[in-house]
Amino acid sequence: MFRRALQFSSGPGLLFQRLGTRRSSSILGKVEVGRGYGSWVPTASSFVTFRAYAGRTVGLLREEGWDGKVSKIKKTIQSILPGKTRDSLYNTSHLPPEHSDVVIVGGGVLGLSVAFWLKKLEKKQGAIRVLVVDRDYTYSKASTGLSVGGIRQQFSLPENVQLSLFSINFLRNINVHAEYLAVVDAPPLDLQFSPSGYLLLASEKDAATLEKNVRMQRQEGAKVCLMSPEQLRNKFPWINTEGVALASYGMEDEGWFDPWSLLQGLRRKAQSMGVLFCQGEVTRFVTSSSRMETSSGEQMILKRICEVHVKMNHSLEYQPVECAIVINAGGAWSGQIAELAGIGKGPPGTLEGTKLPVEPRKRYVYLWHCPQGPGLEAPLVTNTNGVYFRREGLGNNYLGGRNPTEEEEPDPTNLEVDYDFFQYKVWPHLAKRVPAFKTLKVRSAWAGYYDYNTFDQNGVVGPHPLVVNMYFATGFSGHGLQHAPAVGRAVAEMVLEGHFQTINMSPFLFSRFYLGEKFQECNII
């Protein structure tokens, strides 16, 4: 049960305390709280008791040197006398509501996109109450703000190409009236989109796969071309083509943008549409269960989440929120959130024992300066061994890095940067591919998390087969930011209509983990 300390302040203010439920009465009166606000209402029979109790409190405050608090206490008491204007004693605006139709766990770009599309696609305005819960509104460790912000169509699966095409169209029209993220009387969003394209380099061993991927990407509508080493040297003379057999280049709707602007734009728009926000941590799900027998006679237990417990920051108190739907958009921590609902805790080899295979993987991004480096025409380049870089701004600065091998995976319990990784695993390959980078100087670096799907490095979208009202929007292993507009719509369609409409996301369902059917995305950068 939710327990809340009702108090004026720290110190002697603790003397004036009442622990109660959300809707409780006491000898001092009753607390009425609804929709995240609260007020204390005195009852006729309790006023004398309250006056005596408050008087003793004021006396104690004087004795202990808290004179500055006394006037506040008196004013508060006077405000609730009969005939006086009643003020709220206790601020509960930080608390989530008691009820919400949908609770979204995770306030990053994927969670915000789901919130936006739920409100945009609802049949009647204001019909759906949506609550977004996130642990940290500063987003200091969130994957969104720490991303390099790339968007591309050069994937190995048609569905990922379709997600990219939808998302780039969304980003291009982001300020069109109120259709997307425009807000009345608010300045337009500036995503600082740089349409410089992606350039993927392939060795002789990978050339056939690259050519096959480009053929598929073109069929899906992406404007991608193949380039020979000679064409590569003519267009980008600063590239050393040694070891390059073939390259693919995105001629349109590829490049990079500012992730922070997209996140803030989604949040601003969601708030304008009535989405509620709460800073806190989900610590528990209360579920109900029912038995089901399959056509083969197998007994299965279906669960439904009835209540989400949200723990307030820097506090022991928590708030239960009754709900109908839970969206797991917890990014790198979505596997832990799934476990709270009992997912993966059954016998091994069963659907009940199948975990959500998403975990945090730490990735480094380095910023360096090179006065003689590639100019404004430089795309985001991915080398044959996975080392990548792109321009950052107009001052000959560059961002880049490389995904480590399984043996090189760093400790994900912190976000400390390993500069030796750049020195020995990144820089030699950069200097070989772009000779000008031999003289680069690293200026800074940071680390962020991938919501890494260890099964097939692809997204998880849609409902869980046994926890029937938990839906996923996670596991994209580094390309969740660029696909967020499309994924948010797909999840909203599944919640509201019961099936995918815009893009068929069936291959992304959770059930593939139990069935062992990998939906492998090969182009992970």
Side-chain angles (χ1 to χ4, degrees):
M1 180 178 292
F2 171 74
R3 307 186 73 211
R4 179 191 309 168
L6 301 180
Q7 60 190 58
F8 286 108
S9 64
S10 58
L14 288 170
L15 294 168
F16 193 77
Q17 178 173 289
R18 163 74 187 168
L19 295 178
T21 61
R22 280 289 293 230
R23 300 197 180 277
S24 64
S25 61
S26 71
I27 59 171
L28 299 182
K30 62 182 180 179
V31 177
E32 290 185 346
V33 184
R35 301 198 176 200
Y37 60 88
S39 58
W40 188 89
V41 184
T43 57
S45 60
S46 66
F47 182 73
V48 175
T49 308
F50 171 71
R51 186 170 55 187
Y53 189 87
R56 289 197 302 272
T57 303
V58 171
L60 286 168
L61 289 174
R62 283 202 182 99
E63 291 173 11
E64 296 193 22
W66 287 77
D67 293 334
K69 307 287 185 181
V70 174
S71 60
K72 294 181 181 178
I73 298 290
K74 285 182 175 180
K75 287 178 182 177
T76 306
I77 295 172
Q78 290 171 354
S79 72
I80 60 174
L81 290 172
K84 299 287 185 178
T85 303
R86 176 163 48 86
D87 297 326
S88 173
L89 286 181
Y90 313 110
N91 178 19
T92 59
S93 60
H94 65 292
L95 296 176
E98 290 180 306
H99 311 278
S100 184
D101 299 306
V102 180
V103 174
I104 299 175
V105 185
V109 71
L110 277 167
L112 291 174
S113 178
V114 175
F116 163 75
W117 284 109
L118 282 170
K119 297 301 290 181
K120 182 171 174 56
L121 298 179
E122 64 183 353
K123 294 289 192 291
K124 181 182 177 183
Q125 189 175 1
I128 304 172
R129 173 177 277 195
V130 179
L131 170 68
V132 176
V133 180
D134 198 272
R135 293 186 296 184
D136 180 18
Y137 279 178
T138 68
Y139 296 99
S140 59
K141 296 182 180 180
S143 301
T144 302
L146 299 173
S147 166
V148 297
I151 184 166
R152 58 189 164 101
Q153 284 90 57
Q154 296 182 64
F155 286 91
S156 63
L157 294 171
E159 288 81 0
N160 281 332
V161 178
Q162 292 167 27
L163 290 173
S164 292
L165 291 169
F166 180 95
S167 292
I168 191 65
N169 182 68
F170 180 92
L171 296 180
R172 282 192 174 282
N173 293 284
I174 207 165
N175 290 308
V176 177
H177 307 296
E179 281 300 302
Y180 291 136
L181 302 191
V183 175
V184 176
D185 296 330
L189 288 177
D190 180 11
L191 295 182
Q192 302 174 43
F193 179 60
S194 177
S196 299
Y198 269 64
L199 180 66
L200 275 58
L201 309 180
S203 63
E204 192 69 46
K205 176 174 68 73
D206 299 320
T209 301
L210 182 71
E211 188 173 1
K212 176 185 173 184
N213 288 343
V214 169
R215 195 180 307 121
M216 176 273 293
Q217 292 155 12
R218 287 173 174 172
Q219 289 173 351
E220 295 297 331
K223 292 179 173 59
V224 183
C225 71
L226 290 168
M227 301 178 72
S228 67
E230 183 180 1
Q231 291 171 319
L232 202 56
R233 286 191 295 269
N234 290 335
K235 186 168 181 61
F236 305 113
W238 39 265
I239 284 184
N240 172 18
T241 59
E242 181 184 349
V244 176
L246 194 63
S248 63
Y249 176 56
M251 299 180 291
E252 191 176 298
D253 291 340
E254 287 193 339
W256 54 90
F257 63 93
D258 178 22
W260 183 253
S261 294
L262 177 60
L263 185 144
Q264 292 301 319
L266 279 165
R267 185 177 171 87
R268 183 183 73 176
K269 182 66 174 183
Q271 284 180 314
S272 75
M273 301 169 89
V275 173
L276 305 175
F277 290 85
C278 172
Q279 184 173 358
E281 181 179 2
V282 172
T283 57
R284 185 187 176 207
F285 295 113
V286 178
T287 61
S288 61
S289 302
S290 60
R291 286 190 178 275
M292 183 193 78
E293 186 173 312
T294 65
S295 56
S296 60
E298 183 183 358
Q299 292 286 329
M300 304 192 79
I301 297 177
L302 300 181
K303 290 184 179 179
R304 179 174 292 276
I305 298 170
C306 309
E307 199 172 84
V308 179
H309 286 189
V310 181
K311 178 180 171 294
M312 301 298 104
N313 279 10
H314 311 299
S315 173
L316 296 178
E317 65 184 2
Y318 70 90
Q319 171 64 41
V321 181
E322 294 179 4
C323 63
I325 299 289
V326 173
I327 310 294
N328 185 344
W333 297 272
S334 54
Q336 300 172 22
I337 294 165
E339 287 181 5
L340 287 177
I343 293 171
K345 294 190 174 181
T350 66
L351 186 55
E352 293 94 331
T354 302
K355 294 186 176 183
L356 176 68
V358 178
E359 61 184 39
R361 292 284 181 94
K362 185 163 73 172
R363 297 292 180 260
Y364 306 123
V365 179
Y366 302 92
L367 172 67
W368 64 86
H369 180 69
C370 182
Q372 286 77 43
L376 297 180
E377 82 287 355
L380 192 154
V381 179
T382 301
N383 198 14
T384 54
N385 65 340
V387 170
Y388 71 90
F389 72 90
R390 71 163 175 84
R391 285 187 301 103
E392 174 64 4
L394 305 177
N396 293 106
N397 295 317
Y398 304 87
L399 290 178
R402 196 199 105 201
N403 287 341
T405 63
E406 286 293 328
E407 295 75 24
E408 296 168 342
E409 281 291 348
D411 177 11
T413 59
N414 61 67
L415 286 179
E416 295 176 1
V417 174
D418 181 1
Y419 284 88
D420 285 342
F421 186 79
F422 182 86
Q423 183 70 24
Y424 298 109
K425 303 293 184 179
V426 179
W427 177 68
H429 301 286
L430 286 172
K432 182 179 179 181
R433 186 59 63 208
V434 182
F437 282 160
K438 290 178 181 178
T439 59
L440 66 79
K441 294 190 182 301
V442 176
R443 286 190 163 176
S444 63
W446 69 84
Y449 289 115
Y450 274 11
D451 52 338
Y452 195 81
N453 177 352
T454 60
F455 184 74
D456 57 13
Q457 292 78 64
N458 220 339
V460 190
V461 180
H464 188 270
L466 297 180
V467 183
V468 294
N469 63 337
M470 174 173 275
Y471 293 72
F472 298 106
T474 186
F476 283 88
S477 307
H479 52 279
L481 169 68
Q482 59 186 296
H483 287 167
V487 172
R489 178 164 187 134
V491 174
E493 288 172 352
M494 179 59 78
V495 169
L496 298 174
E497 304 295 338
H499 58 93
F500 299 120
Q501 294 178 317
T502 307
I503 299 173
N504 181 16
M505 302 286 284
S506 299
F508 293 83
L509 291 171
F510 179 95
S511 55
R512 74 183 193 269
F513 305 135
Y514 169 64
L515 298 172
E517 298 173 350
K518 289 191 176 183
F519 190 54
Q520 193 82 45
E521 174 53 58
C522 300
N523 287 356
I524 298 296
I525 299 174

